Amino acid sequence: MNSLDRKLIRDLLHLRGQVIAIVLIVACGIASMVTMLSAYDSLNLTQATYYDQYRFADVFVSLKRAPESLRDRIQAIPGVQQVQTRVVRDVIVDVPGLQEPATGRLISVPEQQPPVLNGLAIQEGRYIASGRRDEVLVSEAFADANQLAIGDSLGAVINGRWQALRIVGIALSPEYVYEIRGTDLLPDNQRFGVMWMGRAALGIAFDMDGAFNDVTLTLTHGASEPQVIFQLDQLLETYGGLGAIARHDQISHRFLSDEITSLQATAVFMPTIFLGIAAFLLNLLLARLVSTQRDQIAVLKAFGYSNGDVGLHYLKLVTLVVLAGAMLGIGLGLWMGEATTRNYANFYHFPLLAFRVEPSLVVISVGVSLTAAAIGAAVAVGKAVNLPPAEAMRPEPPADFQPTLVERLGLQRLFSPAGRIILRNVERQPIKAGLTILGLSLAVAILVVGHSFEDAMDYLITVQFYQIQQEDITLSFTEPLSSRARFDLLNLPGVIRAEPFRVVPARLRFQQHAYLGGLTGLPTDGTLRRLMDRDFNVQTLPTQGVLLTDKLAEILDVQPGDRLTVEVLEGARPTREVTVTGLVNELVGVAAYMDIHALNDLMHEGTTLSGAYLAVEPQRLDAIYAELKETPAVASVALRQNSVQQFEETIAANLKIFTTVLVIFATIIAFGVVYNAARIALSERGRELATLRIIGFSRAEVGFILLGEQTLLLLVAIPIGSALGFGLAALMSAFYNTELYRWPLVVTRLTYGLAFGIVAIAAVMSGWLILRQITQLDLVAVLKTRE
């Protein structure tokens, strides 16, 4: 070991407190990057492999009914590679041990072999046997949530007839990686599940023998997806086609792909903050080290060490600090990445979700951290390299002191001597003060944006599930029913109020924009499903025209007063123009609302219902559930309270973990910035503080001068960090602004208070350590002048 390396070890030991703080900040940055990128790689590879191995379809379309002979005409469309026709129906399922009625989505599969597209990964049991009409495969998520096993039986109302279904296998499908109904935001695996049944058995049960009502297909390489969808829609129009969608609009795929994209974005955003602060602190540390070791640098050069040797010596110090942080961060990131990947298994269901780490990720992590450190240390190392020996032997020239702004304004009398010293030092080092404020501001901002997710979740639940949705139960019928169904619902035990709705699939067009969705008809005097604007004013449905949710209006680029073209995809399939009379604010999904009677008139039908919202007596829910389980006309039952509970159990649990990690990371930032800034200030101003002690200043006053500067910077950083945190929350809100859901921009006073409190505590902790060093200050040793 040469003399420079021994000096390096002594320097690291002497600066151990500051070094540890920087190591922890570097570790936080690397850990966040490794966590997100490893989870991203794992999800991305698993998705691609699963889709390819089990032949996930490229195009999906549902229809009313078509003969099986139509399959050949679909296959003949240019660009179509494989076609799979099937029967898909939602039914009410009686699950053993579950009081509420569950919804089962029955999907037909070939009886002789697994389906060509959207293949099934059998996790337990076996495939269905040919000729057995009572055998089904159930999705793994549904089976786990209800503790179902091979050999268990479920009761289902299939086409008006009660039938027992025996579970022979538990399976997964790439079509339902994220297993939800089309109108839900979070999966409710206990009350919604996918079941696969033999094609012949399901076809006979729903009078679909030799017919189908659902098609999936894959495309050849280079095929025009929009052109295939256009021709497919034209072909299926006379058979009640509801509009084909591409894979990117398939709801399971869309949720999963959005999550993967957000992971990638977070992997860039978070490490940038931490490594930027680490670079700043390394610059401060090295700048001070070079300043205090001027004479040592001169001696080294006098003894023959070159500029390169001196520069490499200080770069080694930076490299060791960063490598220590990188190694700690990589270990922590791998642990957190594996935990994050395991957590995704609660939402996304794969045959195998393996945690995967590319070797390049470790190399990239170390390279990024070293690059950030080199940028931060470049100025200080350059100063050491370029320092001539003769100049280095002399003490550093004193600063050029001038009157401060406070003094030029004549306000110095308002401040004590200690206060004036603080203001002078801050104003004379604006770059250092500005960077310290920036670091503290980022700590505040991270805490604000982290806690804002909890604020947004509470707001979303309150608005969507308590102000907009007032119903207890939402029923959907297997087929549209007459108005008499409303009176039948009122006769159910415990039903207080029943408000019908009509849902009609439609394609909405405005100029060059189009959206495949539907129209929802509601009664004008309804109270169970309220339509509100952004100011929470209840909107009244017009007798003519349509109300759009904000997001749908944005997608179609329409404003109130514009004329919207509606192409109905049901019944006689009329095309009409309706006026957009207003906008409503909803946070989940998109919708177009009309008066139910106006929608019936548009369809040229009598009063027809697709379902109903029910308000019920809580104490009679069990009786209602028992009745609904045996009602053939009911296709699905959605319970508002279950949706709220699902939100709170899943989102809240994940947010708690996420927020805890952010609190720890932000505390490390605040501690590291304050401690390093104060420790360097103590080193730089040791003679000044010792002189003040000798002329009569107490330890408390000297401590006030040193830490008062950091307190002032913290007080300036708090409002800046609050504004920055609000801006970051706004960016996150804009990022999570999709047609599936919108994350509201909400930041409460409590969130700001928590951010301030946590950063202040971290600052107090670092200040306490500095005060201990002030009390141990050796006045004689500090006052000795360098020769």
Side-chain angles (χ1 to χ4, degrees):
M1 181 182 295
N2 60 37
S3 57
L4 282 182
D5 290 337
R6 288 195 293 271
K7 175 182 176 298
L8 175 61
I9 293 173
R10 287 196 299 270
D11 288 341
L12 287 172
L13 292 174
H14 177 66
L15 300 169
R16 56 187 177 277
Q18 295 160 266
V19 166
I20 290 172
I22 297 173
V23 165
L24 290 176
I25 293 176
V26 172
C28 290
I30 297 300
S32 60
M33 182 166 68
V34 171
T35 297
M36 299 305 170
L37 285 181
S38 61
Y40 166 80
D41 286 340
S42 300
L43 273 181
N44 201 31
L45 177 66
T46 302
Q47 180 195 42
T49 304
Y50 189 26
Y51 283 4
D52 181 66
Q53 186 174 356
Y54 288 88
R55 303 169 301 283
F56 187 39
D58 296 316
V59 178
F60 305 78
V61 60
S62 297
L63 57 147
K64 186 72 173 177
R65 177 189 175 94
E68 190 61 39
S69 58
L70 192 67
R71 184 185 184 282
D72 294 336
R73 295 176 62 187
I74 297 173
Q75 183 72 66
I77 295 175
V80 173
Q81 184 178 53
Q82 289 180 303
V83 178
Q84 179 172 281
T85 61
R86 56 189 186 175
V87 178
V88 179
R89 292 295 292 264
D90 285 356
V91 298
I92 292 296
V93 178
D94 184 11
V95 180
L98 183 65
Q99 292 181 328
E100 304 99 310
T103 301
R105 179 160 296 168
L106 290 174
I107 300 176
S108 69
V109 291
E111 296 182 353
Q112 301 297 330
Q113 59 184 5
V116 175
L117 303 180
N118 305 317
L120 301 179
I122 307 296
Q123 302 299 101
E124 295 181 42
R126 60 172 174 82
Y127 195 69
I128 57 174
S130 179
R132 298 300 302 268
R133 297 185 179 181
D134 63 338
E135 292 187 352
V136 293
L137 304 170
V138 301
S139 61
E140 185 179 58
F142 185 63
D144 290 345
N146 290 288
Q147 299 180 344
L148 299 174
I150 304 299
D152 289 347
S153 292
L154 305 170
V157 179
I158 300 180
N159 203 18
R161 295 184 294 272
W162 181 264
Q163 183 173 338
L165 302 176
R166 188 165 62 89
I167 299 173
V168 298
I170 295 173
L172 294 171
S173 167
E175 191 176 3
Y176 292 95
V177 173
Y178 192 72
E179 190 172 322
I180 61 169
R181 286 175 282 208
T183 56
D184 292 340
L185 180 59
L186 289 172
D188 185 356
N189 300 128
Q190 193 171 29
R191 300 168 188 84
F192 174 77
V194 180
M195 296 179 284
W196 295 270
M197 191 174 181
R199 174 65 183 268
L202 196 56
I204 294 172
F206 284 103
D207 299 324
M208 286 277 184
D209 193 16
F212 62 89
N213 68 350
D214 193 90
V215 181
T216 62
L217 49 92
T218 54
L219 307 181
T220 58
H221 181 70
S224 172
E225 188 179 84
Q227 187 62 29
V228 171
I229 289 176
F230 175 76
Q231 294 188 51
L232 184 61
D233 284 341
Q234 282 193 318
L235 180 60
L236 297 179
E237 181 176 347
T238 56
Y239 300 97
L242 301 181
I245 60 171
R247 178 191 286 185
H248 60 78
D249 286 324
Q250 199 265 348
I251 191 165
S252 171
H253 172 79
R254 188 159 186 176
F255 267 101
L256 178 57
S257 296
D258 285 351
E259 186 63 42
I260 291 174
T261 302
S262 68
L263 277 174
Q264 192 175 27
T266 307
V268 174
F269 165 70
M270 291 293 289
T272 301
I273 293 177
F274 290 106
L275 295 179
I277 294 173
F280 152 63
L281 293 179
L282 280 169
N283 178 269
L284 285 182
L285 179 66
L286 278 184
R288 180 54 196 155
L289 193 60
V290 170
S291 176
T292 57
Q293 293 186 355
R294 289 167 59 89
D295 52 351
Q296 297 180 29
I297 294 173
V299 170
L300 289 172
K301 289 186 176 182
F303 274 92
Y305 287 97
S306 66
N307 288 343
D309 294 332
V310 174
L312 182 61
H313 167 68
Y314 287 104
L315 282 177
K316 279 183 179 180
L317 186 146
V318 172
T319 302
L320 287 176
V321 172
V322 172
L323 285 178
M327 293 302 102
L328 178 61
I330 289 171
L332 180 62
L334 293 176
W335 176 74
M336 292 172 60
E338 186 175 11
T340 300
T341 303
R342 284 200 309 269
N343 185 57
Y344 280 123
N346 297 325
F347 301 93
Y348 304 104
H349 303 283
F350 299 96
L352 178 64
L353 179 53
F355 179 62
R356 173 176 177 265
V357 180
E358 290 284 351
S360 59
L361 176 57
V362 176
V363 176
I364 291 172
S365 301
V366 175
V368 168
S369 58
L370 287 174
T371 302
I375 293 173
V379 175
V381 172
K383 185 177 179 181
V385 168
N386 296 321
L387 197 60
E391 181 183 341
M393 292 298 291
R394 295 193 298 267
E396 192 171 6
D400 184 14
F401 292 116
Q402 296 178 356
T404 63
L405 178 62
V406 171
E407 291 166 338
R408 291 196 297 271
L409 294 175
L411 303 176
Q412 64 270 23
R413 295 183 182 87
L414 301 177
F415 298 91
S416 67
R420 290 198 293 272
I421 293 173
I422 291 172
L423 293 175
R424 287 171 188 164
N425 197 61
V426 170
E427 188 172 337
R428 287 164 182 163
Q429 295 180 314
I431 296 177
K432 177 183 173 183
L435 292 174
T436 302
I437 291 171
L438 177 61
L440 292 171
S441 298
L442 289 173
V444 175
I446 289 173
L447 290 168
V448 168
V449 74
H451 285 287
S452 72
F453 281 104
E454 296 182 5
D455 297 336
M457 186 197 71
D458 292 339
Y459 178 88
L460 189 150
I461 291 176
T462 300
V463 171
Q464 190 66 37
F465 295 110
Y466 289 105
Q467 296 189 19
I468 294 174
Q469 297 179 220
Q470 301 281 305
E471 77 281 0
D472 298 310
I473 298 175
T474 300
L475 301 181
S476 295
F477 302 141
T478 55
E479 298 288 345
L481 303 178
S482 68
S483 59
R484 181 174 177 175
R486 180 181 181 183
F487 299 102
D488 293 336
L489 292 174
L490 288 170
N491 290 326
L492 288 174
V495 173
I496 302 170
R497 185 177 178 84
E499 293 180 1
F501 62 83
R502 176 76 168 106
V503 177
V504 175
R507 183 177 284 106
L508 310 179
R509 295 187 183 275
F510 180 73
Q511 296 177 353
Q512 75 274 21
H513 304 286
Y515 181 79
L516 182 62
L519 294 172
T520 301
L522 300 175
T524 54
D525 60 346
T527 60
L528 297 183
R529 180 58 65 96
R530 301 196 301 174
L531 306 178
M532 300 188 300
D533 60 19
R534 288 188 176 273
D535 297 323
F536 302 106
N537 299 314
V538 177
Q539 299 283 83
T540 302
L541 273 171
T543 54
Q544 298 295 327
V546 63
L547 293 176
L548 302 182
T549 54
D550 293 339
K551 187 60 181 180
L552 182 54
E554 178 188 324
I555 293 171
L556 295 172
D557 194 23
V558 300
Q559 300 292 331
D562 291 335
R563 298 281 291 176
L564 195 66
T565 301
V566 177
E567 300 174 7
V568 177
L569 303 177
E570 184 179 293
R573 304 173 77 90
T575 299
R576 298 284 187 271
E577 284 197 353
V578 295
T579 301
V580 178
T581 59
L583 304 180
V584 296
N585 180 35
E586 293 186 359
L587 301 174
V588 177
V590 297
Y593 295 103
M594 293 183 67
D595 171 60
I596 190 170
H597 299 297
L599 182 55
N600 291 149
D601 291 341
L602 185 146
M603 293 292 295
H604 300 296
E605 63 186 12
T607 304
T608 306
L609 317 178
S610 300
Y613 303 117
L614 305 182
V616 301
E617 298 175 15
Q619 63 271 23
R620 304 198 66 184
L621 280 173
D622 290 347
I624 296 174
Y625 295 155
E627 190 79 21
L628 291 176
K629 286 180 180 180
E630 300 179 0
T631 304
V634 176
S636 67
V637 178
L639 310 175
R640 183 190 57 162
Q641 194 55 43
N642 287 340
S643 299
V644 175
Q645 182 179 351
Q646 200 72 16
F647 248 93
E648 293 175 342
E649 289 180 353
T650 55
I651 299 296
N654 286 285
L655 280 180
K656 185 176 181 181
I657 297 172
F658 177 72
T659 304
T660 301
V661 172
L662 284 185
V663 167
I664 295 172
F665 283 6
T667 303
I668 290 173
I669 286 180
F671 179 86
V673 170
V674 173
Y675 181 79
N676 270 275
R679 185 66 185 84
I680 288 172
L682 175 61
S683 176
E684 291 176 338
R685 301 167 63 189
R687 288 177 55 82
E688 175 188 339
L689 298 175
T691 302
L692 292 174
R693 285 279 291 112
I694 289 174
I695 65 176
F697 279 68
S698 66
R699 286 191 179 92
E701 288 174 318
V702 171
F704 173 75
I705 291 172
L706 185 64
L707 297 181
E709 178 182 335
Q710 308 307 317
T711 303
L712 176 62
L713 298 179
L714 177 61
L715 292 176
V716 174
I718 283 175
I720 296 175
S722 300
L724 185 59
F726 185 84
L728 292 175
L731 283 177
M732 298 301 290
S733 178
F735 185 78
Y736 290 105
N737 181 19
T738 69
E739 64 181 84
L740 298 174
Y741 63 94
R742 270 79 61 200
W743 203 246
L745 175 58
V746 181
V747 184
T748 64
R749 293 179 181 177
L750 178 61
T751 289
Y752 288 122
L754 287 172
F756 305 160
I758 292 170
V759 171
I761 290 171
V764 168
M765 291 168 57
S766 61
W768 176 74
L769 292 176
I770 297 299
L771 279 176
R772 289 185 59 192
Q773 296 179 29
I774 292 176
T775 59
Q776 297 170 4
L777 204 61
D778 187 338
L779 302 183
V780 175
V782 173
L783 286 173
K784 286 181 179 178
T785 303
R786 288 189 304 168
E787 296 296 334

